[in-house]
Amino acid sequence: MKSKKNLVLVGMMGSGKSTIGQLLSKKLGFKFYDVDKIIENEQKIRIKEIFDQKGESFFRILEEKITLNTLNYESSVISLGGGGFLNENIRKKTLIKSMTFWLDWDSLTLIKRIKKNKKRPISQGLNEKQLQSLIIERSKTYSKANHKISCEKLSELNIVKKILNLYENSKNNNKN
Ligand code: S3P
């Protein structure tokens, strides 16, 4: 019988949640939901503008509401915003309803990617040392995901394969 459990991708900005999520969903024939995109479509403005115009707490409330709602879908791949899994309500529901994968990378790789993209409000104004501390701090929570995928030496395709194997194996073993 086909499992309907969702696959949820968590991790820092720049960890490839959207790219990997899209590839995964194609392989599985599942729908793909990118929480950031849903927020932008609903609000009709970019995340950066939400932060600029309404502030982070407004964004976090919206993020919680939309993520909790998205987690109700079945047979889906869902990519959370980088801060989503840090929210206890989101984390609890995600862990109950889905199989979760943390896309983990070396801090240096993440910092390089984050620095390249100026559109991310959370990283604006942070120097490399501060970004490194943020990565270390957040990793403690990301590590609560069901599976940690060490992405550093893997191609996109191999990251996808690894996640698919874990998903299929757990389905065959009839556990999470
Ligand atoms: C955030 C990450 C962003 C977006 C928002 C806040 C964060 O998502 O949700 O800017 O707190 O790390 P990505 O991880 O998709 O960049």
Side-chain angles (χ1 to χ4, degrees):
M1 200 180 70
K2 203 170 175 191
S3 165
K4 294 190 172 209
K5 197 156 218 174
N6 293 333
L7 294 85
V8 172
L9 303 181
V10 306
M12 277 297 288
M13 312 163 250
S15 61
K17 300 181 293 289
S18 305
T19 311
I20 300 298
Q22 243 155 356
L23 293 170
L24 261 176
S25 67
K26 278 200 190 117
K27 292 262 182 209
L28 284 160
F30 278 16
K31 287 222 168 122
F32 175 60
Y33 296 98
D34 181 329
V35 173
D36 283 342
K37 286 277 166 312
I38 301 176
I39 295 174
E40 289 186 336
N41 289 341
E42 266 198 17
Q43 294 292 303
K44 301 192 176 51
I45 52 171
R46 292 301 177 96
I47 303 269
K48 183 181 174 321
E49 284 152 5
I50 301 178
F51 271 75
D52 288 348
Q53 293 171 18
K54 303 191 170 166
E56 180 173 356
S57 14
F58 177 88
F59 171 79
R60 295 299 176 197
I61 292 168
L62 204 60
E63 178 180 47
E64 176 177 298
K65 189 182 116 218
I66 290 177
T67 309
L68 294 178
N69 186 45
T70 307
L71 288 167
N72 290 330
Y73 300 139
E74 292 186 331
S75 299
S76 303
V77 177
I78 301 167
S79 104
L80 300 193
F85 202 59
L86 307 172
N87 170 311
E88 200 181 349
N89 292 332
I90 293 178
R91 191 168 62 251
K92 276 191 183 152
K93 185 160 178 177
T94 305
L95 289 170
I96 292 169
K97 301 244 336 157
S98 325
M99 184 178 268
T100 46
F101 301 89
W102 169 27
L103 302 185
D104 183 39
W105 296 84
D106 289 352
S107 319
L108 285 181
T109 307
L110 288 172
I111 292 170
K112 226 190 282 167
R113 289 189 193 162
I114 293 168
K115 285 266 154 210
K116 254 199 223 161
N117 184 329
K118 306 263 177 260
K119 284 182 266 168
R120 292 185 162 116
I122 289 296
S123 54
Q124 271 177 357
L126 297 187
N127 62 32
E128 295 196 6
K129 214 171 150 209
Q130 289 165 322
L131 274 176
Q132 169 107 34
S133 311
L134 184 70
I135 294 168
I136 292 171
E137 191 51 40
R138 284 185 166 194
S139 296
K140 293 181 200 154
T141 307
Y142 295 145
S143 70
K144 295 183 180 165
N146 300 122
H147 299 282
K148 167 174 150 175
I149 310 295
S150 300
C151 299
E152 200 60 44
K153 295 193 172 69
L154 299 177
S155 64
E156 274 179 6
L157 204 66
N158 283 331
I159 295 172
V160 170
K161 273 191 190 158
K162 202 163 187 172
I163 295 176
L164 283 176
N165 277 340
L166 290 163
Y167 187 69
E168 297 296 335
N169 282 341
S170 81
K171 225 167 61 176
N172 294 338
N173 295 335
N174 210 14
K175 57 177 194 201
N176 251 10

